Structure formats: structure tokens, C-alpha cells
Amino acid sequence: MSLLKNVSVRYDDDFDSNGYDEDLFEDPELFSLLEQILSEVFQVEDEESTEALCGNAIYFLEDEQSIRRIEKSEQNKLDEGSSNVEDLDNLLIEATDYFKNPNYSHTTEDDQGTDYLTCFIQLYSGVTFNGNGEMISKWKSIDHKVQIELRELLLPELLINKIEQSGIKWTELVRVMIYGPGLEKLVGSRFYEVDESKELVLLSDEFPNILLAIPNFENALDSEESIFDFTEREINEGIPFGIIPDFGRVTLGHWEWTHIRLQEIQEEEMEERALKTIEKEERFRVQEMNDFINKYKDAKDFIKGLNNKVIDPVEVYSLSLEKLNNILFVTEKLNFRLSESSHYYQIKALYTKSKVSHISTQATQALSIIEKINKGDHVDFHLISMATMEDIFAILWSGTGIKIHSSKKEHYFTLKDSLLRMRANKARDSKK
């Protein structure tokens, strides 16, 4: 590939070639010289050269432990403080607590220009007397309500039709009370005392069983468009047409500072989510550390007892396979040594014997496959299940001396490739 493929030369109308023949520019040796100059002086690299690729351009070169730690951190960020997706019990508790007081998130589907009203339905339940001794009708609310738009009140027949569609026939025995801040546009609003019932007014004399609740002045005020929302809408509508709304400096200042504060709130929320993620990761780390300490506490106490001659070495023979394994792990991996080497070798021999006995009785199918491979018998590797494959490598990596003979090492790698492929497929299916 020529290094001059992106080089273009432009000449003015009065370009003077100074006597040079244009054929010189077609000379291959001249082009080769120019390529060398570009390469050495301007450090131009051939785009098809693989030498330009370096570092982590293709491969992520971290070790497996670092990759798992990064994956775990990313998973915690996705969870955003909630429990793991597999922890169904805690997820149910968190979901129940959330929906008691959910955080509303606005979506583009919300219609900001529509006022919705809630209609509570009541049925006739007899009569009573008011404070003036007059007999009036009693009404009982039922667990039934419908939602309408404010404009539907202009045609009450639409409301009646919607009530009848819900299963209640509209008669003189039915009454509907309508609530919502949007009613302020029709009947105004007023101040209410604490625990004072809403004042009801008739929609019209023609429909005496349709009552409107006069909204609280404060609630109606909250439902109105704010100065910022009005300014934001006017500016956004004017931008496509190059129109700058004629607002005062105070209004524009309010709009600008509100935007700044909204950006700060967004950054604060992002920081809070990041802190929650860090807090959760730290909580998991501390929990894992505590679990690790508790898991091997008994093994350390047993080793201390042997070293201080408080525990009789004979008690080693009464330990379970799990506890023997923990003792060996503490001595070999955590450098928590036994003072008497004879104690260590006894524990090692007892663990190996117990492990072999466990394998012989519990993992018979896996052990049989290993024996067939060592004998040279035919084995259908593609028919081995993942559980059996896991048992096979648990035996091979158990340190009990059960191995696949070196002359059959190709079978070992075939089994290992199958196990890794099965694990990858299982991990992929679990993410779907």
C-alpha cells in the first residue's frame, strides 16, 4: 500500500514547474524515496502493518482473578444497591418495600397537557337527618372508581357511558364524586381546615348525581405550570425558528440557575449511586472475609490445640472429611503450621484415605471412566454429562493420586476441553 495514497497536490493557474518534466512524478524510484521520507521524518505507519498494533489493542491481558473481580464490580454497578438476581428472597423484600413508596420516573409517554380526574362511585343506602332536622339521602362508597379527562366533563354522557361500561347501571341510585386538582379550572379552589371534608358542588342541575369536589388551593397551586417549566417550554419552542422569547433578566436568571441546579442534582444522584455501589462491594468483601474466617476458625483452633498439647492426636481420626480438608488448607495455604510434622502426615494420610473411600462409594461413574481410559477401553466422551465431568476432574485434582496415565494425556485434554465448553454454555444460558 502506498503511503502517498492520501496525499493530493494542487497547482494554481500560474504554477511554474521550474523546468521539471512532469514525467519525473511517475518515476517509481522518486515515489519510493518520498515514501521513505514520510516514514522517517513524519513517522507515517503503513495501515496494513501489524506492527502498529501493540499493548491491549486486541487482547485483555489481565489474569483470571482480575477479570473475575472486574466482572463482579460491573455486576454490582448494574444491581445499583439491590440484591443479586439469584437472591429471590431478598429481592422480594426489597421490591415490597420499594412499592410502598416508589420513586416516580417521568417518561416521554406521560401527557403533561392532560388533567386527569378520579371518579368515586357511591350507591344509595337510606336516609338520615341533618343538623337542621331535614331528611337527606345517605350514600355509601363502594370499592369502584374510574378515571376521566377534564374535557370529558363537557359531555357528561361520556362519563355515564364509562361508568356503565365498568358494570354499574346509571340510575338515581348511583352518585359519582369527582376529585382532582384540574377541577380548579371549573370550580376554583379554596382553603380547607385540617381534616375538613371537600366541599361538593353540582356539575349542573341536569345531572344532580354528578358532584365536583372543590380542590384545595395549595394542591391546585402545585399542579400549575411553574415559571421554569413555562420558560423552558417557550425557549425550546422558539429555538427551531430562531426566536428568543422576550423575558426579563430575573426570569432568565431563574431559568439558568434552575438548569444549573438540576445538573448538580443529577451529578449528586450519580455520586450517590456510585457510593451505594462501593458500599455494597465493601459489604460483600467484609462478609466474604468474615465467612472465610469463620469457616476455618475451627481448623485453626484444632491446630492450636495440637501444638499446645491440649488436644489428643488420636482425635484426628474422629474428624470429618470436610474438617480434615480445612486443616490441610490452613496448614498448606495459610502458613498456619503444625509444630509436629508427624501430626501433619497423619492428617494428610487420613484425609487421602477418606477421600478415596468417598470417591469409591459416591463417584463410581466418574471413577469407572478414568479406569477405562487408563485401560485403553473405548469411551464415548460426547455422551458424558456435565455433572459426571465435574466429578471426573474433582477426582483428578483431589490430590489422592488418581490420575490419567501420561500415555493417555490426549484423553485428558479432550475431557478438559469438553468441561470448559460445558461451563461456557451454562454461563451463556444463565444470562439469557
Side-chain angles (χ1 to χ4, degrees):
M1 179 183 293
S2 174
L3 295 175
L4 299 175
K5 59 183 177 62
N6 291 326
V7 177
S8 61
V9 181
R10 297 181 180 272
Y11 303 104
D12 295 329
D13 295 335
D14 56 348
F15 172 76
D16 184 7
S17 64
N18 295 325
Y20 289 101
D21 190 353
E22 292 182 358
D23 294 335
L24 291 176
F25 290 97
E26 298 179 359
D27 188 352
E29 294 183 359
L30 176 61
F31 262 80
S32 176
L33 177 61
L34 290 175
E35 285 187 17
Q36 183 178 357
I37 294 173
L38 285 174
S39 178
E40 295 179 357
V41 177
F42 298 99
Q43 301 297 319
V44 176
E45 289 285 347
D46 191 340
E47 290 183 0
E48 292 184 353
S49 174
T50 57
E51 296 178 356
L53 300 175
C54 59
N56 295 339
I58 298 179
Y59 301 105
F60 187 58
L61 302 179
E62 296 289 345
D63 55 24
E64 183 177 359
Q65 185 177 4
S66 299
I67 293 174
R68 291 184 181 277
R69 184 170 61 251
I70 294 172
E71 290 177 347
K72 186 175 181 181
S73 175
E74 293 296 330
Q75 182 63 46
N76 290 337
K77 291 180 181 178
L78 290 175
D79 291 341
E80 290 189 347
S82 64
S83 298
N84 189 278
V85 69
E86 298 177 355
D87 193 355
L88 298 180
D89 294 335
N90 284 335
L91 281 175
L92 177 60
I93 296 174
E94 292 173 1
T96 303
D97 293 339
Y98 172 80
F99 283 109
K100 290 179 180 178
N101 185 23
N103 296 325
Y104 174 74
S105 297
H106 171 71
T107 64
T108 56
E109 297 177 357
D110 294 334
D111 186 3
Q112 298 294 332
T114 303
D115 291 320
Y116 290 99
L117 307 174
T118 303
C119 306
F120 294 91
I121 298 174
Q122 294 182 327
L123 296 179
Y124 180 78
S125 64
V127 295
T128 186
F129 293 91
N130 60 15
N132 298 326
E134 300 172 344
M135 188 171 64
I136 58 174
S137 300
K138 286 176 56 179
W139 300 88
K140 181 177 178 61
S141 297
I142 61 175
D143 187 17
H144 199 90
K145 59 184 178 181
V146 296
Q147 192 175 53
I148 64 172
E149 298 179 13
L150 178 63
R151 58 185 176 84
E152 294 183 54
L153 288 180
L154 300 177
L155 294 174
E157 291 82 4
L158 296 177
L159 170 60
I160 295 174
N161 184 42
K162 186 172 290 188
I163 293 174
E164 290 187 338
Q165 288 178 358
S166 67
I168 297 178
K169 183 173 179 55
W170 182 261
T171 66
E172 69 276 3
L173 302 178
V174 179
R175 187 174 81 165
V176 60
M177 298 189 303
I178 304 176
Y179 292 82
L183 290 175
E184 192 265 345
K185 299 176 182 178
L186 293 179
V187 296
S189 58
R190 51 159 288 193
F191 289 101
Y192 288 94
E193 300 293 336
V194 179
D195 298 331
E196 182 181 359
S197 299
K198 291 289 196 317
E199 181 182 351
L200 302 174
V201 296
L202 296 179
L203 175 63
S204 67
D205 294 335
E206 186 180 355
F207 298 95
N209 283 9
I210 300 179
L211 304 177
L212 309 180
I214 299 178
N216 190 330
F217 177 79
E218 296 177 353
N219 294 338
L221 186 64
D222 292 339
S223 66
E224 294 180 354
E225 189 177 35
S226 66
I227 297 175
F228 171 78
D229 293 332
F230 173 76
T231 309
E232 177 82 353
R233 177 169 53 81
E234 291 293 322
I235 291 177
N236 289 337
E237 291 179 355
I239 286 175
F241 305 100
I243 301 174
I244 301 177
D246 187 15
F247 293 125
R249 184 58 202 161
V250 174
T251 302
L252 288 176
H254 174 271
W255 174 75
E256 292 172 354
W257 282 103
T258 303
H259 260 294
I260 294 174
R261 181 54 187 152
L262 289 175
Q263 180 65 27
E264 292 175 350
I265 291 174
Q266 184 180 8
E267 294 175 355
E268 290 170 1
E269 291 177 348
M270 293 176 60
E271 182 179 0
E272 184 178 357
R273 286 197 298 269
L275 290 176
K276 286 183 178 179
T277 301
I278 295 173
E279 179 184 354
K280 185 175 181 181
E281 290 181 351
E282 184 65 15
R283 185 169 67 251
F284 285 160
R285 187 190 69 81
V286 173
Q287 182 64 38
E288 289 177 351
M289 183 177 64
N290 291 337
D291 292 342
F292 181 85
I293 293 174
N294 294 331
K295 180 179 179 180
Y296 297 104
K297 181 178 182 302
D298 293 340
K300 290 183 178 180
D301 292 341
F302 191 86
I303 293 174
K304 289 180 181 178
L306 286 177
N307 291 339
N308 297 330
K309 303 187 183 304
V310 177
I311 297 178
D312 191 338
V314 179
E315 294 186 21
V316 170
Y317 294 90
S318 62
L319 298 178
S320 64
L321 180 62
E322 181 182 2
K323 194 164 186 178
L324 289 171
N325 182 42
N326 291 344
I327 292 174
L328 290 175
F329 179 84
V330 169
T331 56
E332 295 173 353
K333 304 297 183 182
L334 304 184
N335 202 28
F336 203 82
R337 299 296 184 180
L338 285 160
S339 57
E340 297 288 341
S341 60
S342 59
H343 294 163
Y344 168 77
Y345 289 119
Q346 287 183 77
I347 294 174
K348 182 72 173 179
L350 182 58
Y351 170 77
T352 303
K353 178 65 176 177
S354 301
K355 189 69 175 178
V356 171
S357 300
H358 175 77
I359 292 172
S360 301
T361 57
Q362 301 296 326
T364 54
Q365 185 179 3
L367 185 60
S368 174
I369 292 174
I370 296 174
E371 291 176 348
K372 286 183 179 180
I373 293 174
N374 287 332
K375 289 178 182 179
D377 296 341
H378 174 72
V379 177
D380 293 321
F381 295 103
H382 62 284
L383 299 179
I384 302 176
S385 65
M386 182 175 179
T388 304
M389 196 74 73
E390 294 283 3
D391 291 340
I392 290 174
F393 280 92
I395 294 172
L396 296 176
W397 296 337
S398 64
T400 58
I402 303 176
K403 301 288 185 182
I404 292 177
H405 196 270
S406 58
S407 61
K408 308 292 190 302
K409 63 181 180 180
E410 68 277 3
H411 296 315
Y412 170 84
F413 290 109
T414 300
L415 289 171
K416 186 176 180 181
D417 290 341
S418 298
L419 176 62
L420 295 177
R421 185 172 60 255
M422 290 178 180
R423 286 177 175 176
N425 292 336
K426 182 179 180 180
R428 183 189 59 201
D429 295 339
S430 64
K431 293 179 180 179
K432 292 182 179 179

